[in-house]
Amino acid sequence: MELTTVKIGAVSVLDAAGRIDSVTAKSLEEKAPRPHQGSAARPRLDFAKVDYISSAGLRVLLVAAKQSKAAQCKFALCSLKAQVREVFDISGFGTIIAIHPDRASALAAAS
């Protein structure tokens, strides 16, 4: 898995590529944008190049979403491929984490 962080104004976007599974989930956990209490940061994860996500990856995202909520920040994902989106829908994570169809809409929602 490859991870690249880009800062766009007050928004941190993490571009992920490859598989998010029990082997790579720790890297995602370490690199995922972290909100801070009172911060204007709006963490976004772009999954346009993610081909697979396991329960280990979902756990990392759930923790990040809970931390964002506690810090009153809006955490969101965008650009999920159909097979990854299906995992979110089946697991119920699609109702827990905001998912946008593309980066532009995710950034617009961060405003």
Side-chain angles (χ1 to χ4, degrees), residues 4-108:
T4 308
T5 302
V6 178
K7 186 90 166 160
I8 303 171
V11 182
S12 295
V13 179
L14 179 69
D15 288 321
R19 296 174 54 91
I20 303 172
D21 54 26
S22 59
V23 175
T24 60
K26 184 70 172 166
S27 295
L28 177 62
E29 185 174 23
E30 292 169 354
K31 295 226 178 184
R34 299 272 187 249
H36 302 288
Q37 188 67 36
S39 169
R42 306 285 192 266
R44 299 291 186 257
L45 282 77
D46 191 326
F47 276 20
K49 297 177 184 172
V50 172
D51 300 314
Y52 172 84
I53 188 164
S54 72
S55 59
L58 291 174
R59 182 196 61 78
V60 169
L61 296 177
L62 181 60
V63 169
K66 285 183 176 183
Q67 289 173 342
S68 293
K69 185 175 181 180
Q72 299 178 342
C73 293
K74 296 178 181 179
F75 177 85
L77 303 173
C78 66
S79 308
L80 277 65
K81 290 183 177 181
Q83 66 269 23
V84 174
R85 179 61 196 239
E86 185 177 12
V87 171
F88 278 81
D89 292 341
I90 290 171
S91 66
F93 274 63
T95 60
I96 297 170
I97 298 173
I99 300 173
H100 300 277
D102 53 39
R103 183 181 287 202
S105 62
L107 291 173

